[in-house]
Amino acid sequence: MMTEQQTPQQRKDEEQRLQEVIAQRTQRSAGLWRRETAVALIPLVLVIGYAIIYPFEAVYTTLREIPGIGDFFPTPGSAVIIIVFTMMAIGLNVVVGYAGLLDLGYVAFYAAGAYMAGWLASQHFEQVTFHFWSPGINPELPGIHINLWIVLLLAGIFTAVVGIVIGLPTLRLRGDYLAIVTLGFGEIVPQFVRNGDNFKGFDLTSGSFGITPIDPPGFGDGLGDGSGGLLPVNFQRSFDAEQLYYWAALGLLLFTVFCCWRLRDSRLGRAWIAIREDETAAAAMGIPLMRTKTWSYAIGAFFGGIAGAYYASFKSGAFPSDFYFNISIFLLCMVILGGMGSIWGVIIAGTILGWLNIEGLGVIGNYLNDWFFEPVTGSRIEVPKYQFGIYGIIIVTMMLFRPTGLIPERRRKLEMEEGVHDEPAMGERAVNR
Amino acid sequence: MADLLVAEAVRKEFGGLVAVNDVDFVVPEQGIVSLIGPNGAGKTTFFNMLTGVYKVTSGEIHFAGERVTNKPPHAITERGVGRTFQNIRLFQQMSTIENVLVGMHSRLKGGILQSVLRTPKLRREERDAFDRARELLRFSGLRGRDNELSSNLSYGDQRRLEVARALATEPKLLLLDEPTAGMNPQETADFTAFVGRLRDERGLTVLLIEHDMKVVMGVSDRVTVLDYGEKIAEGPPSEIQKNERVIEAYLGKAAVEGASA
């Protein structure tokens, strides 16, 4: 092609690489593996390996004692929360990153999942006593007590249905309008649970008190004792509860990543990306817009629901005050920061932002206070108080210097660069169109 | 020959403006029919109603004996209407082969669970789809460019890819909206031959919007002329060329009077 001669070598290389990546991906989706794909798996294996051994006391205490940077390693308990939020971000990524639908109300799905755990694994419905494979809980205890592993699945399905119900009226809207309506739903759900303690005398949500305590995960007496203690009867009563919660969360995260990966390279994934790129053309190619978008909502919601239910079980409660609009934005920040559509990016951004939120800001604040504020001004400031200001700065900085995110999805990268590099965009690209 | 597409008194109003005014229109099976007319005559609007992008204000559209009036675009595509766009609308950040695969959407079955589990059945389906997509690219003259980003293709090739993508929907009727716009004479000639092959080799029926009279007169069995949303003439190319109202629509009244004087 004529334009290739004009293109700087660098750009040519980059495009070549990009094409290889896409080629690889399309081949992968056809089930044709290449040796390079296997090599590309090495970092994945290393990261997962590290993540698995992290909560062993010997590992993380050693890491936490490294002078200077030790404080940057979270405790396993904090890590659970980081993982849960990352999982939600990956679910949101299906909606925002793949299908290109701006959803500002994702917190609604988190709430739906959490309350599902509250309903099916606590003493909330004391009118009934129903136990199913409950993890070492006194069978006399009133309320519905279904094993949390089953509850997670039910919560995912229930939340997916909520997603479909919310999606059907709203997904006809495009762009900004969709964002505003989802914002509304994100506000409606917490209000609903806050006021849901009296439906003609029936207490559905316990209002602002929330539902607590919620059963921990576990394998119950039969499996627990049967496996000789290998499978814990009940996480909470186990000596290393935090580690167990951590590993289970990690397992759920890996499950989410795996599903999203496979879906991206499927018929449905192609349809999502097609819709993101050009809705009209996608419809003309036989893609049912409503159905495909609703599926992205349902699948995004599914993982949000599982994460919500698991988190509710981890902290043993679901409270309406947990489901603020901030969380939707926080999750969206993870997706944007990581690179919309890029699973690796979202994992990394989710880890960083999640860590900042839980421990990081405090740690950084201490450093700042020790090295700067106290010696210079003589007083300490409370850095975590400024968290949303700090996230704002991060996002603005990212948008200015790396608008495609930390690890851009390859396609997105191209999309954005066409707008950034003015000259080639005018010189070669425009002609090519 | 049976009529594949029948449009009866199709009308489209945008507010007070009548874009398409009660047009009757028929496309016979295995024919190549062209729709011509000056800019703003309502050709593309008419196309958009046939493909479900716009809803008709009134009138009926039947395709292959089935009423498709105001059905959503994907439902019409599923029944066998493929189309290209006047201003190219490829999925720019997808490779050429992915574009074609998107076109196959309604012909593939892979569901969510199957995709996540990647069952043998799904693998087979995907592999077959890739083979078919490659075959279509070859047929459309894009051999060996499977993995190129569609935005990197030359203009003519992007047009070809749009056709390949439309063919992937396995249409009975292919709608081409100004496919040779912006092409040089050589590309245009190639494309005209390509349209002929679509009918002869693939047994397709083609409905063409076109400005290039050489193309229109060369391949069409029949030509319909729209002007200000109304059908002003219809017939074989040789007749249309001589039709006074058509010449008037294109060149203005003065030119016609000047010529006959």
Side-chain angles (χ1 to χ4, degrees), chain A residues 1 262 277-278 284 411, chain B residues 77 89 92-93 98 116 152:
Chain A
M1 221 171 12
R262 284 258 163 120
E277 300 224 344
D278 189 332
R411 299 178 206 284
Chain B
T77 305
R89 300 187 86 145
Q92 300 224 342
Q93 308 313 327
E98 282 178 309
V116 170
N152 287 357

Side-chain angles (χ1 to χ4, degrees), chain B residues 62-76:
Chain B
H62 291 264
F63 178 75
E66 200 182 345
R67 183 174 177 273
V68 295
T69 322
N70 291 343
K71 287 236 187 310
H74 69 88
I76 293 177

Side-chain angles (χ1 to χ4, degrees), chain A residues 14-321:
Chain A
E14 171 67 5
E15 274 175 7
Q16 180 106 36
R17 204 175 54 83
L18 233 151
Q19 276 161 16
E20 273 166 19
V21 166
I22 291 182
Q24 215 174 338
R25 191 179 288 175
T26 39
Q27 265 172 341
R28 203 187 300 153
S29 73
L32 310 170
W33 282 70
R34 276 190 183 181
R35 198 178 299 139
E36 290 95 275
T37 325
V39 175
L41 281 178
I42 291 175
L44 183 74
V45 171
L46 288 177
V47 170
I48 295 176
Y50 167 74
I52 289 175
I53 59 165
Y54 185 75
F56 281 114
E57 212 169 328
V59 177
Y60 78 88
T61 46
T62 318
L63 288 171
R64 280 172 74 84
E65 274 160 19
I66 301 174
I69 59 163
D71 291 344
F72 289 97
F73 292 95
T75 62
S78 304
V80 173
I81 303 171
I82 296 173
I83 293 174
V84 167
F85 273 88
T86 305
M87 189 173 152
M88 285 191 233
I90 291 173
L92 181 62
N93 183 46
V94 172
V95 183
V96 180
Y98 292 171
L101 306 163
L102 186 52
D103 182 353
L104 295 180
Y106 196 73
V107 71
F109 302 143
Y110 165 27
Y115 272 88
M116 199 60 180
W119 292 325
L120 298 182
S122 81
Q123 298 181 41
H124 179 65
F125 292 120
E126 53 198 9
Q127 305 90 325
V128 288
T129 304
F130 177 78
H131 285 250
F132 183 80
W133 187 26
S134 56
I137 289 168
N138 179 3
E140 312 280 279
L141 213 61
I144 303 173
H145 297 273
I146 298 175
N147 191 288
L148 195 83
W149 305 128
I150 299 170
V151 173
L152 289 183
L153 182 67
L154 294 177
I157 293 169
F158 171 72
T159 314
V161 172
V162 172
I164 292 171
V165 170
I166 294 180
L168 284 179
T170 57
L171 287 174
R172 291 176 197 284
L173 302 167
R174 289 191 188 196
D176 309 349
Y177 302 100
L178 175 69
I180 291 166
V181 175
T182 55
L183 181 73
F185 272 104
E187 289 294 285
I188 288 169
V189 169
Q191 287 301 331
F192 174 81
V193 291
R194 191 167 291 122
N195 295 306
D197 54 354
N198 192 350
F199 286 103
K200 302 207 163 157
F202 181 72
D203 177 8
L204 187 65
T205 64
S206 280
S208 48
F209 297 108
I211 298 175
T212 184
I214 293 175
D215 299 346
F219 293 89
D221 292 320
L223 265 176
D225 297 338
S227 66
L230 194 69
L231 296 172
V233 175
N234 177 321
F235 277 21
Q236 207 101 68
R237 272 184 253 144
S238 178
F239 287 116
D240 29 40
E242 282 199 339
Q243 288 173 27
L244 294 174
Y245 273 111
Y246 175 95
W247 282 319
L250 189 66
L252 290 174
L253 177 68
L254 290 178
F255 168 71
T256 309
V257 169
F258 175 78
C259 292
C260 291
W261 233 316
R262 284 258 163 120
L263 283 173
R264 184 194 61 191
D265 294 336
S266 73
R267 166 176 173 263
L268 191 63
R270 290 192 295 262
W272 285 333
I273 294 167
I275 287 179
R276 184 182 85 194
E277 300 224 344
D278 189 332
E279 229 178 272
T280 311
M285 291 308 120
I287 293 170
L289 294 181
M290 277 304 292
R291 201 184 312 158
T292 310
K293 288 184 188 178
T294 310
W295 270 125
S296 87
Y297 241 54
I299 288 166
F302 179 79
F303 295 116
I306 294 181
Y310 187 75
Y311 191 34
S313 166
F314 173 66
K315 59 179 193 176
S316 194
F319 312 100
S321 55

Side-chain angles (χ1 to χ4, degrees), chain B residues 20 29 47 130 147 166 174 201 252 257:
Chain B
V20 175
E29 220 164 295
F47 248 46
F130 270 79
N147 295 318
L174 184 63
E201 292 179 22
E257 279 161 3

Side-chain angles (χ1 to χ4, degrees), chain A residues 249-391:
Chain A
L250 189 66
L252 290 174
L253 177 68
L254 290 178
F255 168 71
T256 309
V257 169
F258 175 78
C259 292
C260 291
W261 233 316
R262 284 258 163 120
L263 283 173
R264 184 194 61 191
D265 294 336
S266 73
R267 166 176 173 263
L268 191 63
R270 290 192 295 262
W272 285 333
I273 294 167
I275 287 179
R276 184 182 85 194
E277 300 224 344
D278 189 332
E279 229 178 272
T280 311
M285 291 308 120
I287 293 170
L289 294 181
M290 277 304 292
R291 201 184 312 158
T292 310
K293 288 184 188 178
T294 310
W295 270 125
S296 87
Y297 241 54
I299 288 166
F302 179 79
F303 295 116
I306 294 181
Y310 187 75
Y311 191 34
S313 166
F314 173 66
K315 59 179 193 176
S316 194
F319 312 100
S321 55
D322 290 342
F323 310 120
Y324 273 125
F325 170 61
N326 290 353
I327 293 180
S328 301
I329 298 301
F330 187 56
L331 293 170
L332 194 64
C333 284
M334 291 179 179
V335 176
I336 294 170
L337 189 68
M340 282 192 273
S342 145
I343 292 182
W344 269 115
V346 175
I347 292 174
I348 291 174
T351 312
I352 295 174
L353 283 185
W355 173 75
L356 276 180
N357 196 37
I358 292 158
E359 287 190 358
L361 286 177
V363 171
I364 293 171
N366 283 341
Y367 276 102
L368 283 178
N369 282 324
D370 290 348
W371 296 103
F372 181 72
F373 288 114
E374 202 148 44
V376 176
T377 64
S379 61
R380 299 176 76 91
I381 62 163
E382 227 177 298
V383 173
K385 270 191 181 166
Y386 303 95
Q387 53 169 330
F388 277 96
I390 293 169
Y391 299 150

Side-chain angles (χ1 to χ4, degrees), chain B residues 68-201:
Chain B
V68 295
T69 322
N70 291 343
K71 287 236 187 310
H74 69 88
I76 293 177
T77 305
E78 229 173 271
R79 283 170 174 74
V81 180
R83 75 168 290 180
T84 67
F85 293 89
Q86 185 175 356
N87 34 2
I88 299 174
R89 300 187 86 145
L90 289 170
F91 306 117
Q92 300 224 342
Q93 308 313 327
M94 293 176 119
S95 65
T96 53
I97 199 160
E98 282 178 309
N99 267 277
V100 178
L101 287 169
V102 170
M104 289 180 185
H105 187 88
S106 53
R107 309 296 166 208
L108 301 176
K109 293 190 182 69
I112 292 176
L113 266 182
Q114 279 180 318
S115 300
V116 170
L117 300 174
R118 210 166 271 175
T119 56
K121 197 174 148 211
L122 182 104
R123 278 166 194 258
R124 215 173 313 127
E125 184 188 76
E126 284 280 293
R127 210 165 297 180
D128 290 348
F130 270 79
D131 289 344
R132 241 181 320 142
R134 249 174 246 124
E135 201 271 318
L136 274 173
L137 286 174
R138 213 171 314 144
F139 178 77
S140 313
L142 294 165
R143 178 199 295 267
R145 317 195 55 179
D146 308 1
N147 295 318
E148 233 162 294
L149 280 180
S150 62
S151 54
N152 287 357
L153 295 178
S154 72
Y155 186 83
D157 283 347
Q158 292 197 10
R159 285 278 181 209
R160 286 170 182 279
L161 179 55
E162 264 216 325
V163 176
R165 188 179 68 173
L167 289 177
T169 66
E170 293 176 17
K172 296 185 192 119
L173 172 68
L174 184 63
L175 309 184
L176 303 173
D177 196 346
E178 293 194 28
T180 66
M183 284 188 180
N184 65 34
Q186 181 57 43
E187 284 175 324
T188 306
D190 289 349
F191 199 88
T192 313
F194 178 65
V195 172
R197 278 176 61 207
L198 289 177
R199 175 182 52 184
D200 302 338
E201 292 179 22

